[in-house]
Amino acid sequence: MSRQIQYTDEPIGHFRQVVDFLPSPEELKLKSETTKITISLSTESLAYFKEVARANHSQYQKMIRQLLDDYVAHQKSAGE
């Protein structure tokens, strides 16, 4: 059995307030809107994404979606 902790009224030490850096619940983007599609990829490309996803403990579909989202964001910003 572990020892029971004895609390006292001694000062604990110096404290400092930490700024709240977390976003408000309204600012949180829980899930982006998605649309399911069917797509044919080359066997080599799919194997690559599956391998990288497995090595990074991720899902290959999410990796492909993120890649496409980043590409679209880049293209939009380049067109401005």
Side-chain angles (χ1 to χ4, degrees):
M1 276 199 196
S2 62
R3 266 184 8 204
Q4 189 170 11
I5 298 173
Q6 296 291 326
Y7 293 101
T8 64
D9 288 332
E10 297 174 26
I12 297 175
H14 297 288
F15 295 98
R16 66 181 174 90
Q17 186 173 0
V18 176
V19 177
D20 184 9
F21 61 90
L22 297 174
S24 68
E26 294 79 23
E27 294 174 308
L28 291 174
K29 185 176 180 183
L30 299 178
K31 206 172 191 182
S32 61
E33 188 176 329
T34 59
T35 303
K36 289 188 182 271
I37 64 164
T38 301
I39 185 171
S40 296
L41 301 174
S42 69
T43 303
E44 182 179 357
S45 292
L46 186 57
Y48 171 79
F49 278 105
K50 284 184 174 183
E51 180 183 328
V52 173
R54 191 175 343 184
N56 290 286
H57 307 287
S58 184
Q59 296 177 351
Y60 73 93
Q61 297 97 330
K62 286 185 179 181
M63 292 181 70
I64 294 170
R65 182 171 46 247
Q66 186 64 50
L67 177 68
L68 290 171
D69 289 345
D70 290 349
Y71 176 81
V72 168
H74 176 75
Q75 291 301 315
K76 283 183 172 181
S77 68
E80 292 178 356

